[in-house]
Amino acid sequence: MLGAVSGTPDPRTRQIVEALIRHAHDFAREVGLQPEELLYAAEFLKRCGDVSDASRHEFILLSDVLGVTMVVNTLAADAPDGALEPSVLGPFYRSGAPLLPNGADLSRGGAADGEPAHVTGLVLAADGSPIEGAELDVWGTNADGLYENVDPSQPDYNLRGRFHTDARGRFEFWTVKPVSYPIPVDGPVGDLLAATNRSNMRPGHLHVIASAPGYQTIITELYTDDDQYIESDAVFGVKGSLVVHYDWIDDEHKVAASPRKRPYWELRRDLVLTPGTRTAVRFTAGREELAR
Ligand SMILES: [Fe+2]
């Protein structure tokens, strides 16, 4: 049967399709796949499509919960020791977030967004030199564990923004401390998790895409160290180097000088990039209310 694709003009397409056929056949042989099970699989994939829309992408979620996303990301990023490691993009990335000045606050939903968090750091090359003009595209959920694009009660692009580092490589912004949240289980991926007796919880995390001219673009997440799900991420995204600690700041002088005038969390984290090619992220979710 592999001969059927031997005329594929593009060599990479041929390599991928041939290997897909070979592994799919081996898989069917290994488990003794029954005709009704093959039909179930076809229906499962059809339901993944049916439940997907502009703000929800069930196939990405499926890849995430099967661990395929993390395998692919780890293979793609050739991160040396100390460099920022990749993690999952997830299905909730929305491109076009506003470019904001350093120090800006991503929270535009008021106190309901969550506990304030001040995030600062440097973007550096491996030799410790600062990278000016690096871009951080960051996003997170509110205290209810919801991204703005699936929650019409939140302002457009709430808790999303882009920042550029200054001449010393510094970035700084305000957001909210991430909370753990469930991935959606009302679709086929939920059926898969239930059938395999798995949790659908993700530990709290801040999504980051870090990029700069002349450096590899890194899609990653920074995981909150005191989260109860840090050891059992439903999508296997946690790596030791991506676990971060937020300090609780209640010193009255610092609180008085802060934009929200109340105690807050502080995360200080430097990000080291690896020379390479800057790449664009070719996926964006939409916003639910705009898709209807
Ligand atoms: Fe997320």
Side-chain angles (χ1 to χ4, degrees), residues 58-156:
E58 194 79 352
F59 290 101
I60 290 180
L61 202 59
L62 179 61
S63 169
D64 292 351
V65 302
L66 292 176
V68 177
T69 308
M70 280 304 285
V71 170
V72 170
N73 287 351
T74 302
L75 289 173
D78 181 17
D81 280 356
L84 182 62
E85 292 192 277
S87 186
V88 296
L89 174 70
F92 299 107
Y93 173 61
R94 195 173 165 214
S95 65
L99 181 62
L100 301 169
N102 275 305
D105 194 339
L106 299 180
S107 171
R108 282 170 276 132
D113 277 349
E115 297 176 333
H118 182 223
V119 182
T120 65
L122 302 168
V123 177
L124 302 168
D127 64 0
S129 58
I131 301 176
E132 180 181 4
E135 179 171 301
L136 299 188
D137 192 343
V138 301
W139 68 105
T141 71
N142 69 0
D144 293 329
L146 292 171
Y147 292 94
E148 57 79 32
N149 67 312
V150 294
D151 180 6
S153 74
Q154 292 184 49
D156 198 25

Side-chain angles (χ1 to χ4, degrees), residues 235-254:
V235 305
F236 311 105
V238 179
K239 292 177 177 175
S241 73
L242 299 176
V243 177
V244 296
H245 180 73
Y246 289 76
D247 289 311
W248 180 243
I249 306 296
D250 57 5
D251 174 86
E252 64 183 63
H253 299 295
K254 289 183 177 176

